[in-house]
Amino acid sequence: MADGARHTSRWRDALGSLSARLLVAFLFPTLLFVALAGTAVYQLARAILEEELGAGLSAVAAATASQVNGERMLTVEPGDDVTGTRTWRNLVRALEGVREASGVRRVYAVDTQGRVRVDVGGGLPVGVEMPELARDRLELARVFAGERAASQVLFTGTDGHLYKTGYAPVRQDGRVVGAVGVEGSAAFFGPLKSLSRTFAIMGTVALAALAVIALLTARGLAWPLRRLMDSALRIGRGDLTTPVPPEPTREIGVLARELEVMRGALESRDRQLKMMLAGVAHEVRNPIGGIALFSGILQEDLQAGAHSEAGEHVKRIQREVAYLQRIVEDFLAFAREQPLARAPVEAPVLLSGACELLAAEAGAREVSVEVDAAPALLEADGSLLTAALVNLVKNAVQASPRGGRVRVSGTTGEGRYTIQVRDTGPGVPEPERERIFEPFFTTREKGTGLGLPLARKIALAHGGDLRLASAPGDTTFILTLPLNNGSLSSSR
């Protein structure tokens, strides 16, 4: 039972494959067309040849009937063929000449009652009713009405060959007194059958060639699709490192490229997620260790009655909890995929609002923050852009020396709005510039390393970019956002 089920499953898979379906799609219509066309051609050729044969035989019968004297034919009586009367012999001679000249099988003359008067090639005696006439009653009715006719149905002779009969009336003084019948062989059926066999052979060869072409075409389509399927299965199993091979076919090549883009995005996201998890684990370990340390000291001091230092230990624990909370919030803000809630935002209001949020921290560090923003109306998510600018300005304030200056400017040009946050700090060392936008990379002791990556992520989500230009004493973060002409003109 198990083997039978496996074989059935294999047959089902084989029949459901692309190759099998294409093979059926190619061959079945072609086979149907060849069969129908061959049958139609054969039947048409047969009908035409039968009609031509009937017309020829009836013409021979008419020519023969014109040579037969109806009065003399009727004088032939039973027994004349035995005694060999002169009239009978003349009729035989005339019909024999027609038979030899036309190459037909049989020529005979009958009266209106269907009785034989002369039968050359058939050997029936005079006066007997010819049984063959029964099959052509309708045709004979037309002949006795004065028309020529041919039998509609081929019949098989004693030699096994097919024959057809043509009829013509024998007249005497304007009235029909009998008929002449001429039987001819349907010899054309031999070549017609040969033609039919040739057509069948050629059709079989054509089907075989088409089957090979269909099989090659199916394989040419199935193999790239199978490679794509294998790549998709690898990605589904978690293998995000093996690239999707390119395909030469245009349509399948597009699928391969899009699948490779998807794989790259998944690999990047997976790598980023692992890096984020590792960074969170690393960053969380320090504040948790501090909380455990200070809570243990606090417990010992309380047990020893040293209440004077308990408040300081509580403050340290609270600072570590606040830092831990900031790590969690930054991580969630960076990891969360938030849809943009776009709305019209005035650029000067956006820049001023972000700087005002850091006024207290800048004042504590004696750092001045200047804003110079050209007017523009942005279609953006104001809250997310504010978070990105706060990170940039905060980073600049923390990097500036006491008494330093941070300049925030906004300009328009080439269809984009460019925001620059410049500080006079020591700058970013060359080895750190390429890593500054990596998650969890930071040079500060209490930094999470997520502020700048989050700002860049927000910029990219708006269709813009964030880059760094740094030199000692002059560090600038440049945030660019797309700006259409309609927004620019409406802000003037």
Side-chain angles (χ1 to χ4, degrees):
M1 291 292 292
D3 292 339
R6 279 196 297 269
H7 288 307
T8 302
S9 177
R10 289 175 183 173
W11 273 107
R12 188 181 297 113
D13 293 341
L15 293 176
S17 66
L18 179 63
S19 300
R21 292 186 178 185
L22 284 177
L23 200 60
V24 172
F26 268 94
L27 293 186
F28 181 74
T30 305
L31 179 61
L32 184 62
F33 172 77
V34 170
L36 293 178
T39 303
V41 170
Y42 178 81
Q43 294 297 335
L44 180 62
R46 173 171 176 165
I48 292 175
L49 291 174
E50 282 191 32
E51 184 178 356
E52 290 295 326
L53 178 61
L57 291 175
S58 61
V60 173
T64 306
S66 65
Q67 301 177 18
V68 175
N69 187 296
E71 183 179 359
R72 291 182 179 179
M73 182 192 75
L74 293 177
T75 61
V76 177
E77 296 293 339
D80 288 356
D81 52 339
V82 177
T83 59
T85 63
R86 182 178 179 181
T87 301
W88 180 81
R89 284 189 283 108
N90 288 337
L91 281 175
V92 170
R93 190 179 300 112
L95 298 187
E96 186 69 38
V98 171
R99 179 189 177 198
E100 292 178 358
S102 60
V104 296
R105 171 177 176 266
R106 185 182 186 186
V107 182
Y108 52 85
V110 296
D111 57 25
T112 55
Q113 283 74 40
R115 292 192 298 268
V116 175
R117 298 295 177 163
V118 178
D119 184 8
V120 176
L124 289 178
V126 177
V128 302
E129 291 186 4
M130 183 173 287
E132 290 87 346
L133 300 181
R135 64 172 176 262
D136 297 331
R137 288 189 302 270
L138 298 177
E139 288 80 1
L140 284 173
R142 292 172 52 198
V143 172
F144 292 145
E147 299 179 11
R148 291 190 301 180
S151 58
Q152 296 298 315
V153 180
L154 295 174
F155 62 92
T156 304
T158 56
D159 55 1
H161 295 158
L162 293 174
Y163 292 92
K164 194 176 183 70
T165 306
Y167 299 100
V170 177
R171 290 181 173 85
Q172 177 64 33
D173 297 330
R175 63 187 180 89
V176 177
V177 296
V180 171
V182 178
E183 289 184 3
S185 173
F188 60 83
F189 272 96
L192 187 61
K193 289 183 178 179
S194 298
L195 178 63
S196 178
R197 287 193 295 270
T198 302
F199 186 83
I201 293 173
M202 292 179 63
T204 303
V205 173
L207 285 175
L210 187 61
V212 173
I213 295 173
L215 188 60
L216 294 177
T217 303
R219 287 186 176 181
L221 290 175
W223 286 345
L225 290 176
R226 189 174 292 113
R227 287 193 291 268
L228 281 182
M229 181 183 70
D230 293 339
S231 298
L233 291 175
R234 284 199 304 271
I235 293 173
R237 289 192 295 266
D239 181 6
L240 302 177
T241 59
T242 304
V244 178
E247 299 294 342
T249 308
R250 186 181 65 178
E251 292 80 1
I252 301 179
V254 172
L255 290 176
R257 287 195 299 271
E258 292 301 319
L259 189 60
E260 171 62 16
V261 171
M262 183 190 73
R263 183 205 62 81
L266 290 175
E267 182 186 17
S268 175
R269 188 171 182 81
D270 183 68
R271 183 173 59 251
Q272 189 179 73
L273 181 60
K274 291 178 180 178
M275 182 174 58
M276 289 171 61
L277 292 176
V280 168
H282 174 73
E283 294 296 330
V284 167
R285 186 182 298 114
N286 292 332
I288 289 179
I291 292 172
L293 174 65
F294 293 125
S295 62
I297 296 175
L298 176 61
Q299 183 181 16
E300 293 176 359
D301 289 346
L302 291 176
Q303 290 176 351
H307 298 283
S308 59
E309 298 181 1
E312 185 64 27
H313 296 324
V314 171
K315 289 181 181 179
R316 290 178 178 177
I317 292 175
Q318 289 175 340
R319 283 197 299 270
E320 295 296 337
V321 170
Y323 177 57
L324 183 61
Q325 183 177 3
R326 184 160 64 90
I327 291 175
V328 173
E329 290 176 352
D330 288 348
F331 172 76
L332 291 176
F334 183 78
R336 187 182 298 118
E337 293 291 340
Q338 295 179 343
L340 297 181
R342 292 182 182 270
V345 178
E346 290 286 349
V349 175
L350 178 69
L351 271 62
S352 299
C355 293
E356 288 176 2
L357 293 175
L358 293 168
E361 184 174 347
R365 297 180 64 88
E366 300 179 1
V367 176
S368 62
V369 179
E370 302 175 358
V371 180
D372 181 16
L377 186 64
L378 304 175
E379 285 291 333
D381 190 319
S383 60
L384 291 181
L385 280 183
T386 299
L389 288 174
V390 166
N391 280 321
L392 295 179
V393 176
K394 183 177 182 179
N395 187 75
V397 169
Q398 292 177 351
S400 298
R402 286 192 173 273
R405 183 181 65 171
V406 173
R407 188 170 184 273
V408 181
S409 63
T411 57
T412 60
E414 299 181 357
R416 305 184 76 79
Y417 193 81
T418 303
I419 301 173
Q420 295 186 2
V421 180
R422 175 174 294 178
D423 66 72
T424 56
V428 181
E430 184 68 30
E432 298 176 1
R433 293 178 188 176
E434 296 182 359
R435 301 189 57 195
I436 198 168
F437 292 110
E438 291 182 5
F440 300 103
F441 175 77
T442 181
T443 57
R444 296 190 179 94
E445 182 179 355
K446 289 294 184 178
T448 62
L450 290 175
L452 292 177
L454 177 60
R456 190 175 198 182
K457 184 178 180 180
I458 294 173
L460 294 174
H462 282 81
D465 193 15
L466 176 62
R467 55 190 176 89
L468 169 68
S470 180
D474 186 9
T475 300
T476 305
F477 285 94
I478 305 169
L479 172 63
T480 59
L481 299 169
L483 180 68
N484 56 50
N485 294 329
S487 297
L488 182 60
S489 61
S490 64
S491 65
R492 292 178 177 173

